[in-house]
Amino acid sequence: MTKIRADQEAERKFSFLKGGDAGPGEVAWLDGIDSVRKALADAMNAKNVAFLLGAGCSSSWNGDQEVGIPTMAPLATEFTKVRDHDDDLFPTTTERKELESLYGIKLGDEEYTRNLERLMELLFSMRFILRRSSHGNVEEGRRLVDSIIDKVRAFLWDKCTNGRFAQGDTTVHKLYETFYRKLVLRDRSLPRPWVFTTNYDVFNETAMDRLGLPYANGFSGVVERRFNPATFRYALAEQLDLSSRKWSAVDGFVYLCKLHGSITWTEDDHGLFPIRETTPGKDPGKVMIYPTPAKQNSSLGSPYSDLFREFQSRIVREQSVLFTMGYAFGDEHINNIIYQALTIPTFRLVIFVDPALEGEIAKLRALSDPRIWIIGGDGREDGRKAHYFDTIVEEFMPQRSAERIDDAVRKVLETMAPKKMDQE
């Protein structure tokens, strides 16, 4: 590290707010990173550890290029902007005009260009009313609203299945792989970690598959993988002595819960559990919960009721720690469960987020609860933030000696293995 860079890091600071502590909670990158990393290592060694990954974890930028999946605000801006020509994924000029003339709704209003959830709330509310209206002149409005809702769904599906990450860019995939390599190295005497996510994408599954890590995601079977909540009660063990029944829990094992569904989920009419897991198709699935306030109601049905029950069950246990990453506390149904957990004295909440955010973050900050840690702010360099997923994975998550050896082996393989071009 050059002296200039060291001086810059000595001046740059990020926030490490522990409720109840005196002082602003600002930590210099150069001097404070080791102490913060140690504090997080202690928290990650708690008896019960769970992670909540939000949309921010699947978004990543390379210069001015989004190489992952945009978060909700950029998605809303892209979907609602006026275009020179019609596109199947976006409202047409005619649909925009009809929506304004029939109902006085402008897609260009700031309320909708910054928040796709607010637009979906409006559209679903309108559809609810129009479908129950007995007036004969509402058919045009029904078709209009249904068309825009279908386009929102197709737009979100496209964002989760296409993009630079699907065209060879490995930035986001490698971040998830590093996250899981650091996560699974827990003492085998401790319960296995749980990862909950609100994302529909398959970055989590892909990372664990590439690392060879076994995981339980609520599905069982081979040819027809179906949702069965009983699989969350299963554990993976290895036989230590072939001559006797001695078993030990496998170190690298993770429980994965996708709270809002997945692009790999479909629904059919066969079996006790009609939810199937397949490879991502070309059309929006039937099971995904889309980002609307109706999620509160949708989450009451299976399989979501089972997944949210697991979320609640895991974080209300004694000596539990929940780490939230890429999540800005915008989902009321999830927030309610977290707030219930805060009534447990031994529960701890570690939030990676911009500490200056208003709304729920400001309320949590105002509690001055010593069990709530908020980490965020400026990163080591311009353009990076302490609460971004890449910074969390690369800077804050503790690196064990075994993981450093894995890094060294991977580097040898990448550097010394013959390239395809050389072989040709």
Side-chain angles (χ1 to χ4, degrees), residues 354-367:
D354 183 352
L357 281 181
E358 297 299 325
E360 298 302 309
I361 299 301
K363 293 178 183 177
L364 289 167
R365 200 170 56 239
L367 289 176

Side-chain angles (χ1 to χ4, degrees), residues 171-189:
T171 303
V172 180
H173 285 111
K174 286 184 176 180
L175 284 176
Y176 273 87
E177 288 176 27
T178 304
F179 169 76
Y180 279 104
R181 279 201 306 271
K182 293 186 175 183
L183 172 62
V184 297
L185 294 174
R186 276 167 60 83
D187 190 291
R188 66 174 56 193
S189 64

Side-chain angles (χ1 to χ4, degrees), residues 11-30:
E11 295 177 358
R12 297 182 70 89
K13 296 181 179 180
F14 66 96
S15 294
F16 181 29
L17 305 174
K18 292 190 287 186
D21 284 1
E26 289 191 340
V27 180
W29 270 102
L30 188 60

